[in-house]
DNA sequence: TTGTAAGCGTTATCAA
DNA sequence: TTGATAACGCTTACAA
């Protein structure tokens, strides 16, 4: 049983352990970090002392001396969208598996670029060795270039070939999967409800949608704007319901699709008989919409995991094993069907 | 314009700034921390040097010297439930407002108590001055008592009077609001779909449900078990659909309620005409269920904020201003109505 | 295999 | 108002 220290007492240090074990402080350090050779018997004595005193390494002292913090910073958007949690869990797990810890800074969705920079600086000051961006920031500005040059940075959103996000979900593929599914079902054209323009995903999916339609000789109809929220989906749904020959919609998120479904239902349009709906994300609730949503699933947790692994690899200057394969997948459920003729 | 340092170069230290400004390192320290008096003119010179060199304080060195880290640890459950993100955002905001940073450890939902302890220790080792528990852990074990004694700890879940969670959402009130709403509508009894038994909320809501029924002279029917997932709600919904005289259900989460709705619909039961449904949480999508869910909203973000503020107050040994008022509120929508007679 | 000595970049203490 | 000096608890480098 460890001796009861009141919380006033100072925590034991390596020196205390060394004294108790009858060795030098350096040997304690060696034992704690498993490097440098220590005779098993000596190690045992040290460990016993560690146990008895309840000694734990002092992270600040260790990182001051070694110059390493093993700390990863994450910048996320401060909202309650579904993906955030899963994404963070993936990061956390991968980090913990490699002995890293994670610290987070949240930034409001449409905050000024100063707010990002402030968050970035806060993480750097805290000692983050690398930073994961879960929010779109233009990295190609003088202020950000200075920072990404000194602190390795990866992004876990968007897709175009970008040295900072070589693994993110292929957003163009998402658009393609969704639109081609609808076209294969026999729809003449596909309408599109976009996400918030602030996010690059929005543009990439919109572009893919246009492109697939064009490839099929179809002139893309006007875009219907949304902002990820179910409310914006509802408004978009009312617009769609008012278009007589709209039989298929590609909605840029599941949450918006819930709103679309509601609006369509209220307008007396049946899904999928009158209108087919495909959305994006594959959140758990998407299977419980009415009707169950056909959606393109994004593996958020794997994206987080991959971002963290990638960043750690950059920091260690080596590989950390296979990165998870990040691929969107079409999940066909009840909200899509061939058009009524 | 700051001189371009390649990332190889060492970051500038107080000594570098001091040299450039023609003062002692100590004066730089004073300027950086705004304490101790410094002549305005001197401060200006120091700040100019700081700017020119791009100097930023080295957190590890500062905390080694001062003994303070201003770091808050958070233990959360590693799943993708809705509340996690909002909760974290609340914590982060409150922490940032008081100059604290946040580090997170995720633990699997039904992990062993060793896993908690491991997470707790990891946060302590990192220098967390206090810890917020977003996951149920029995604090009344020898191993946890040692830890909570040396590291201030608050919980942001459950409700009974507990020195560690004086501000969490009143779960009994949640149960009461839900059940009384149904009873006032004229229902003869109320069935209950529980959450996962691992969480104390589950028991507290179940107890409140029993109690309210009993107060009204009603013998509570058997409980229908769930585990927070929409799938478990779906199974519970099938059970309910098979009970001829069930006209009202209190479901312990919105996500489960989506499953219940689906099962009821498939069984040909109309909501709310045949069965009324009240759930808990008030997630954004709850307004877009079919029909829109009547639910008891929990202010997750405020809970996180309150937990962080409370913890900071403990650490500073003083008040940090008014804590947010944490109160569940009944949001009446379309899933509840008087029973058909 | 083990120990000694010298820093790491800051803050605390005391003196000027 | 400012400066010199000694910690803070660890790791790195080198010596024994």
């Amino acid at each position: 049983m460890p001796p009861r220290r009141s919380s006033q007492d100072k925590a034991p240090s390596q020196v205390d352990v060394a004294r108790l074990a009858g060795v030098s402080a350096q040997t304690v350090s060696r034992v704690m970090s498993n490097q440098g050779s220590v005779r098993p018997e000596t190690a045992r004595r040290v460990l016993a002392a560690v146990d008895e005193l309840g000694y734990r390494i002092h992270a600040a002292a260790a990182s001051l001396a070694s110059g390493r913090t093993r700390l990863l910073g994450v910048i996320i958007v401060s909202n309650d969208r579904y993906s955030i949690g899963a994404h963070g869990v993936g990061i956390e797990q991968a980090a913990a598996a490699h002995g890293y810890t994670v610290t987070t800074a949240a930034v409001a969705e449409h905050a000024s670029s100063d707010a990002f920079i402030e968050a970035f600086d806060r993480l750097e000051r805290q000692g983050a060795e690398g930073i994961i961006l879960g929010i779109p920031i233009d990295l190609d500005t003088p202020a950000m270039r200075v920072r990404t040059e000194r602190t390795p940075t990866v992004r876990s959103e968007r897709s175009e070939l970008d040295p900072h996000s070589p693994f993110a979900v292929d957003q163009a593929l998402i658009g393609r999967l969704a639109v081609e599914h609808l076209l294969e079902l026999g729809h003449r054209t596909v309408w599109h409800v976009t996400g918030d323009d602030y996010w690059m995903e929005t543009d990439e999916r919109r572009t893919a949608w246009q492109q697939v339609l064009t490839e099929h000789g179809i002139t893309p109809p006007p875009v219907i704007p949304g902002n990820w929220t179910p409310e914006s989906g509802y408004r978009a749904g009312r617009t769609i319901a008012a278009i007589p020959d709209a039989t298929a919609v590609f909605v840029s998120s599941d949450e918006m699709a819930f709103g679309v479904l509601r609006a369509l239902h209220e307008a007396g349009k049946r899904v999928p008989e009158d209108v087919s709906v495909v959305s994006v994300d594959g959140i758990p609730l998407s299977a419980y919409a009415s009707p169950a949503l056909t959606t393109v699933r994004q593996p958020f947790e794997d994206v987080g995991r991959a971002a963290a692994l990638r960043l750690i690899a950059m920091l260690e200057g080596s590989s950390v094993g296979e990165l998870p394969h990040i691929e969107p997948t079409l999940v066909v459920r009840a909200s899509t069907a061939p058009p009524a003729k």
Side-chain angles (χ1 to χ4, degrees), chain A:
Chain A
M1 185 170 141
R4 225 174 230 311
R5 287 182 297 101
S6 99
S7 55
Q8 318 304 354
D9 288 349
K10 269 191 25 183
S13 75
Q14 268 184 3
V15 175
D16 300 316
V17 175
R19 189 161 28 228
L20 182 60
V23 297
S24 75
Q26 180 48 225
T27 296
V28 176
S29 173
R30 278 193 267 261
V31 171
M32 294 307 289
S33 57
N34 297 309
Q35 59 180 345
S37 30
V38 176
R39 210 168 356 137
E41 160 54 19
T42 311
R44 207 170 315 123
R45 274 215 321 282
V46 169
L47 258 8
V50 164
D51 226 53
E52 181 171 344
L53 296 176
Y55 167 76
R56 281 152 339 148
I57 216 160
H58 188 298
S63 61
L64 177 57
S66 69
R68 298 238 20 207
T69 58
R70 301 186 80 82
L71 214 210
L72 264 27
V74 181
I75 300 182
I76 55 161
V77 58
S78 61
N79 70 14
D80 53 1
R81 223 169 308 138
Y82 224 103
S83 55
I84 312 264
H87 181 242
V89 165
I91 292 175
E92 225 278 324
Q93 286 182 349
H98 290 265
Y100 283 75
T101 54
V102 176
T103 182
T104 304
V107 169
E109 180 143 21
H110 293 100
S112 69
S113 81
D114 284 351
F116 296 129
I117 292 184
E118 199 274 314
F120 202 104
D121 286 351
R122 185 148 41 100
L123 295 176
E124 278 188 319
R125 202 181 321 126
Q126 229 189 117
E129 297 183 356
I131 290 182
I132 297 174
L133 262 25
I135 184 169
I137 306 182
D138 183 0
L139 260 23
D140 206 20
T141 65
M144 286 310 296
R145 243 181 275 118
V146 173
R147 289 170 174 75
T148 58
E149 208 171 276
R150 68 180 170 221
T151 303
T153 304
V154 300
R155 19 182 25 139
S156 60
E157 29 72 49
R158 75 186 296 249
S159 75
E160 10 164 304
L161 256 16
D162 171 339
H164 293 291
S165 65
F167 51 81
V169 182
D170 185 339
Q171 300 297 327
L173 178 54
I174 287 178
R176 181 163 294 275
L177 286 171
V179 177
E180 285 181 345
H181 170 62
L182 259 5
L183 258 20
E184 276 161 19
L185 250 18
H187 294 274
R188 299 281 184 94
T189 190
V190 176
W191 294 74
H192 179 43
V193 179
T194 69
D196 189 315
D197 261 318
Y198 177 76
W199 297 79
M200 309 197 193
E201 284 85 341
T202 296
D203 186 50
E204 293 170 354
R205 293 177 196 164
R206 183 201 299 126
T207 302
W209 159 77
Q210 284 172 332
Q211 193 167 329
V212 174
L213 288 185
T214 305
E215 285 168 14
H216 285 74
I218 303 167
T219 304
V223 142
I224 304 168
N227 66 5
W228 303 131
T229 64
E231 288 71 25
S232 73
Y234 179 77
R235 287 191 297 274
R238 294 177 61 106
T239 303
I240 293 163
I243 302 168
D245 58 349
T247 67
V249 205
F250 164 39
V251 182
S252 213
S253 82
D254 290 338
E255 302 202 43
M256 290 195 293
F258 273 82
V260 169
L261 254 23
R262 156 72 53 86
L264 255 18
H265 179 75
E266 285 180 6
K269 299 272 191 178
R270 292 163 306 159
V271 175
E273 293 82 355
D274 301 323
V275 182
S276 282
V277 176
V278 178
S279 52
V280 182
D281 279 352
I283 64 176
L285 280 182
S286 63
Y288 290 87
S290 308
L293 285 166
T294 291
T295 187
V296 183
R297 161 170 289 137
Q298 303 197 76
F300 293 116
E301 201 169 314
D302 279 342
V303 170
R305 219 186 311 277
L309 289 176
R310 171 85 196 183
L311 186 53
I312 291 170
M314 289 168 72
L315 294 173
E316 320 243 290
S318 71
S319 164
V320 288
E322 198 87 5
L323 293 186
H325 190 61
I326 305 296
E327 190 124 301
T329 51
L330 178 70
V331 181
V332 178
R333 293 198 282 238
S335 65
T336 50
K341 53 198 54 84

